[in-house]
Amino acid sequence: MTRVITYGTFDLFHEGHYRLLQRAKELGDYLIVGVTTEAYDKARGKLNVVDSLVTRIENVRKTGFADEIVIEETQGQKINDIRKFHIDIFVIGSDWTGAFDYVKDYCDVVYLERTKNISSTMLREKNSPIQRVGIIGTGRIAERFIPEAKLVSGISTQGVYNPHTKSAERFADKWEINFYKDLEAFYQASDVVYIASPHETHYQYIKTSLEHQKHVLCEKPMVLQKKQAEELFECARERKLILLEGIKTAYCPGFHKLLGIACSGIIGNIRNVEACFTKLEAQVSRELTDKKYGGSFTELGSYVMLPIFKIFGKEYNSLQFDSIRDEKGLDLFTRTTLSYPSGVATATCGLGVKSEGRLLIAGTKGYIVAEAPWWKTTYFEVHYENAEKIEKYSEIFLGDGLRYEISDFLSMINGSNSSEFKLTRGESVAMAEIMEKYLRKEGRG
Ligand code: CTP
């Protein structure tokens, strides 16, 4: 009996997939088809897969060609499968020619000619036309956005707006995109807007963008007042638009895994969360010179509040801020303490004081610790009373990580709501409320 194996994502199942499976089956007596998991696709940079794993498996099954379907979860799995299933022939489309020659040590490798003029990518683009992104703001984060957006299919950065025309022109030159002096022209050329301007300008830009019927991804902190956040989300809802706060940690696969484990019960009931993020900034930086909206809490507070809201929720009993300020009155270091019915939490951030920058989640049976930079989580440990028992978890985090939030934003625009739980509207509103309370307490509100 000749045993054949092939692999693929099989997203938006099409004729090319069908013909590939048909010919693969004809090469032998028994065909095994490996279908990639969502996590594996994300890890290898294939973002924006539309169909769920269950749907993709079902579509492969329905062809009747597969005698067995397996799940492909990791890099390096193919060799193990080939040995485990005693495979004689490894089959893949000609777009991969040469890429799997290393498998020849274990079985025959056949590259089948790819069916012309059809691919999942083409169908994705046809079903959901490319979204043209316009960027407002030209700071450091906007610089990071462009290369990350290039990795997400279905989206293309077309232009930039900044009232300081010189900056916009320089930025546009560097990234070979358009720049606009006029906001109306900018909106006309954009389907979605990414806002990376100074914090205090977010509200007005979001409002105007929504009024121009544009989906919005806005850098954190989205707005600095609860009422503003509520009003903007309501406006987005009425207009059937997506409005998303860009706290990249919320969309990062490793952070997700960590929250899943924290909430699984293995560390018991969670009683304490401590999140710390510090980043020393130059005295002359915007963050330490803007007397009204600068300082560590407005800059980093969203990151450190996030795990606390994710674990304990938005309904805290009490809230207290303690800051160390510079001579201008800006906070160089802020510790926020929240108490909840079932536990306590501290969120610490600093631009002028360096600390270890750790995330610690303590429960009645054990604790989870992720060291800096936990906000780009790649590794964390679970510890117990028995100090010798340590469970270690790792997860991939590629590049600057903005690709994950951009990809989730795009899926939401295209009608999927499977990522909405990662950062809910209610959580963004609660963050805005905390920002508001902080600025008011500092006499800057
Ligand atoms: N395939 C094919 N002909 C096509 C498209 C895909 O023979 N027109 C083959 C691929 O070479 C691979 C298998 O089908 O062996 C699964 O491919 P997959 O990557 O899932 O499909 P694509 O349409 O290539 O997906 P994408 O556009 O997302 O890369």
Side-chain angles (χ1 to χ4, degrees), residues 9-10 14 16-17 46 93 95 114-115 118-121 124:
T9 302
F10 303 103
H14 56 68
H17 296 144
K46 192 162 185 169
D95 44 325
R114 205 175 144 86
T115 306
I118 183 87
S119 73
S120 305
T121 305
R124 281 194 286 265

Side-chain angles (χ1 to χ4, degrees), residues 339-350:
S339 83
Y340 283 85
S342 63
V344 289
T346 51
T348 309
C349 53

